[in-house]
Amino acid sequence: MNAPFPSPAESAPASSDAASTKAPLRLFIAAPRGFCAGVDRAIEIVERAIEKYGPPVYVRHEIVHNRFVVDGLKAKGAIFVEELDEVPDGVPVIFSAHGVPKSVPAAATERGLDWLDATCPLVSKVHRQAERQIADGRHILFIGHAGHPEVIGTFGQVPEGGMTLVETVEDVAALDFPADAELAYLSQTTLSVDDTAAIIAAIQARYPKVAAPKAEDICYATSNRQAAVKRVAPDCQLMFVIGAPNSSNSLRLAEVAQRSGACAQLIQRASDIDPAWLEGVDTVGLTAGASAPESLVNEVIARLKELRDVSQQEFVTATETISFKLPKQLTT
């Protein structure tokens, strides 16, 4: 789980004495952190569907990338499946917050299934932009990570061959479109702000006529959480990022922390913390990916207080007030 990032022992200042289990520890907590409006909405859709239809309610793919959240919904009556053909006839099915190809709701409708779309509205916005660019005769360069559900869902909004995936600046250099080609670029909503900016700059340098989205595709929550980590991580020796190993936005937070000078550890629960990581460390940062509930943040703080004499401080870099409406099926 922690393989992409070096252990604190590799990067923390050397110490001849192991840290006392109750030695002082400064804890810097980044804000915003944790659940975003799209995740809040997706979870509420599942919970309300269970209340309205009764269990079981089926969900295609993890509703969000967090095992704690998924297990909690399973306990309430949600059943998670990988593909639509695993859903029995006559039961409701919900599509995850990451979005799905158009073929999935079409197949659900053909089978007569009641379905609910929990796709984050900011992901849906990218889907609509993709449709418009194709309608305008442009080929889309899509900045994202191969195999991520959001990428698969976005590619599934347009005819096959209408998009080319771009993951790195090197991928831009390898493109074989002529300089005057009718192109547009879009991006996955959970990418590194800095990496994406570099890729966009490379695209624009090579294709000056490329059409840009009306607004940045990286969502407000991703940008805000990365900015908060940039505020906290430079003053920390170690940064804990609460999130799943398959969560794109959580992985990006760990990368941002690394680049800011902290050693980053991606953890899912407080139980993942190895006390040895804190040896020689007196300043720790803490954040949580957009799919991680605040209860896990509190759990990690409590664990650190068991191990060390903690003094904590929160650093707030933005205030989030965005909320999204639920599907009409659940509000009427």
Side-chain angles (χ1 to χ4, degrees):
M1 177 174 58
N2 300 305
F5 309 105
S7 70
E10 295 173 359
S11 57
S15 173
S16 57
D17 298 313
S20 165
T21 56
K22 280 295 185 181
L25 182 71
R26 291 186 299 165
L27 177 62
F28 295 159
I29 306 171
R33 63 181 175 273
F35 278 179
C36 62
V39 167
D40 274 330
R41 175 180 180 269
I43 294 169
E44 187 173 358
I45 286 172
V46 178
E47 292 174 335
R48 288 209 183 190
I50 293 169
E51 291 175 7
K52 179 173 180 176
Y53 299 107
V57 167
Y58 281 72
V59 185
R60 184 184 179 274
H61 291 177
E62 291 185 337
I63 189 69
V64 295
H65 284 157
N66 187 276
R67 188 174 63 194
F68 180 82
V69 171
V70 169
D71 287 347
L73 293 173
K74 283 180 179 178
K76 294 179 179 180
I79 296 177
F80 292 85
V81 298
E82 286 302 306
E83 298 300 339
L84 200 62
D85 58 13
E86 300 173 61
V87 179
D89 291 336
V91 298
V93 61
I94 298 170
F95 307 138
S96 82
H98 306 101
V100 295
K102 282 184 176 180
S103 59
V104 174
T109 299
E110 186 176 347
R111 283 185 55 190
L113 297 176
D114 287 330
W115 57 268
L116 292 158
D117 189 359
T119 301
C120 173
L122 297 180
V123 174
S124 295
K125 182 193 75 172
V126 177
H127 291 179
R128 303 293 80 78
Q129 290 184 92
E131 291 176 324
R132 286 193 294 270
Q133 296 294 1
I134 293 296
D136 289 341
R138 298 186 179 95
H139 184 88
I140 298 167
L141 305 178
F142 191 77
I143 306 167
H145 295 298
H148 190 276
E150 185 181 332
V151 174
I152 294 169
T154 304
F155 267 67
Q157 304 304 309
V158 303
E160 188 173 352
M163 282 191 189
T164 297
L165 183 65
V166 175
E167 297 189 84
T168 64
V169 170
E170 290 73 23
D171 287 348
V172 178
L175 295 172
D176 58 2
F177 299 100
D180 60 350
E182 291 291 329
L183 299 173
Y185 72 82
L186 298 171
S187 78
Q188 186 178 329
T189 63
T190 55
L191 300 178
S192 161
V193 172
D194 295 336
D195 288 349
T196 304
I199 294 171
I200 291 171
I203 290 172
Q204 291 175 327
R206 185 153 185 214
Y207 301 105
K209 290 173 55 181
V210 68
K214 291 183 179 179
E216 187 178 88
D217 289 334
I218 295 177
C219 81
Y220 78 94
T222 297
S223 299
N224 286 349
R225 280 150 190 71
Q226 290 180 23
V229 168
K230 288 179 181 179
R231 169 65 182 85
V232 169
D235 296 321
C236 300
Q237 293 161 279
L238 170 64
M239 188 95 192
F240 287 121
V241 177
I242 304 171
N246 61 338
S247 165
S248 175
N249 78 86
S250 299
L251 289 167
R252 304 294 82 76
L253 291 176
E255 290 173 355
V256 169
Q258 284 288 114
R259 293 173 183 177
S260 298
C263 174
Q265 287 289 347
L266 182 69
I267 59 174
Q268 297 194 71
R269 300 290 300 268
S271 57
D272 292 339
I273 297 173
D274 183 345
W277 294 344
L278 298 174
E279 293 180 6
V281 172
D282 56 30
T283 308
V284 169
L286 177 61
T287 189
S291 302
E294 186 67 9
S295 60
L296 296 185
V297 175
N298 294 331
E299 179 184 279
V300 168
I301 294 172
R303 175 57 176 156
L304 292 175
K305 288 182 176 180
E306 290 176 358
L307 297 170
R308 301 286 288 271
D309 181 12
V310 174
S311 61
Q312 66 189 66
Q313 183 176 358
E314 183 178 64
F315 291 86
V316 181
T317 56
T319 301
E320 296 177 348
T321 59
I322 292 175
S323 62
F324 297 127
K325 294 180 180 178
L326 295 172
K328 290 182 179 178
Q329 300 104 300
L330 298 177
T331 57
T332 54

